[in-house]
Amino acid sequence: KNNFIPMPASGVSSFIQEPGTQKYWMGIQGKGFAVYNKATGQLSLPGDNKEHIAAIDELADLNSPYNPHFDRKHRLWFQSWGAGFPTIYQYDINKNEKGRSFEFITTLKTYYETHDFFEQKDGTLWVIGLGIFARYNEQENKFELVYNGYKNERSIAYERINCIFEDRENNIWIGSNNNGLYR
């Protein structure tokens, strides 16, 4: 009863505030997104899009979107499970335009899970997870997997990347569940 946001009855799979706004995006269990605008007090969701937010209608068919992330270009990145594996989606809020979707099953040919997004100070976007460590190549509009396997002392071998951090010298630190810390 203390919530200022009226929660959708079907449940929330994720939650994020849109930077620079009073809009709160919620992934809805079994559906797309709902957006609560604190400035207007309106909740827009699939089938009842009070504020006519294009992304709500365009993404309504997605199943339980999770791990949303707004990048510096005001694109919404998120994930959703499809036909047995997760898919990454991109939606440009400024253009009201659905971008590409990205999956790794055709490359990896094995089970994987996508987890968190991370954006470096220079705007480089990464995604991490179980069997996943990939950088988004803006020019080619695709994710590039970091090679996973030991070749020499400069290699990285991992089962799951748990965390990623950028220090003040722009080094990327990677925490793995089985082989410790990489820089």
Side-chain angles (χ1 to χ4, degrees):
K1 75 182 183 184
N2 295 321
N3 264 345
F4 67 88
I5 299 175
M7 300 306 256
S10 56
V12 174
S13 59
S14 61
F15 186 89
I16 190 171
Q17 182 178 2
E18 183 178 338
T21 73
Q22 293 187 50
K23 293 180 180 176
Y24 297 86
W25 289 68
M26 295 171 273
I28 305 301
Q29 295 283 349
K31 297 182 183 176
F33 282 97
V35 177
Y36 176 72
N37 187 339
K38 188 175 179 184
T40 64
Q42 296 290 315
L43 176 66
S44 296
L45 33 85
D48 188 20
N49 193 350
K50 292 180 177 80
E51 295 198 341
H52 309 289
I53 299 169
I56 290 176
D57 295 329
E58 289 185 44
L59 304 173
D61 60 338
L62 293 173
N63 183 27
S64 306
Y66 64 98
N67 288 340
H69 172 80
F70 283 97
D71 69 12
R72 289 186 180 96
K73 294 183 177 183
H74 209 71
R75 294 176 297 193
L76 174 64
W77 295 85
F78 61 94
Q79 301 152 39
S80 180
W81 278 82
F85 55 87
T87 301
I88 295 173
Y89 295 90
Q90 175 197 93
Y91 189 90
D92 192 320
I93 300 296
N94 294 325
K95 297 177 184 175
N96 288 325
E97 180 177 277
K98 191 193 283 190
R100 284 198 50 205
S101 58
F102 308 90
E103 50 80 17
F104 299 103
I105 195 72
T106 54
T107 304
L108 294 174
K109 297 180 184 5
T110 189
Y111 182 82
Y112 68 92
E113 294 176 7
T114 54
H115 294 174
D116 298 329
F117 290 104
F118 175 76
E119 188 173 4
Q120 287 181 254
K121 294 171 195 152
D122 69 2
T124 302
L125 186 74
W126 297 83
V127 64
I128 61 173
L130 179 65
I132 295 293
F133 181 32
R135 177 182 63 125
Y136 181 64
N137 182 324
E138 194 77 45
Q139 285 70 39
E140 296 183 27
N141 194 24
K142 68 178 188 177
F143 278 93
E144 299 171 333
L145 289 164
V146 172
Y147 177 75
N148 183 8
Y150 184 81
K151 284 187 171 183
N152 57 41
E153 65 277 355
R154 293 182 181 232
S155 302
I156 180 172
Y158 57 89
E159 290 174 9
R160 178 177 53 235
I161 301 297
N162 293 327
C163 58
I164 182 170
F165 174 79
E166 181 177 16
D167 66 23
R168 66 177 165 249
E169 296 171 348
N170 304 111
N171 295 305
I172 299 297
W173 294 82
I174 308 300
S176 73
N177 71 319
N178 61 323
N179 283 327
L181 189 63
Y182 294 94
R183 178 179 67 114

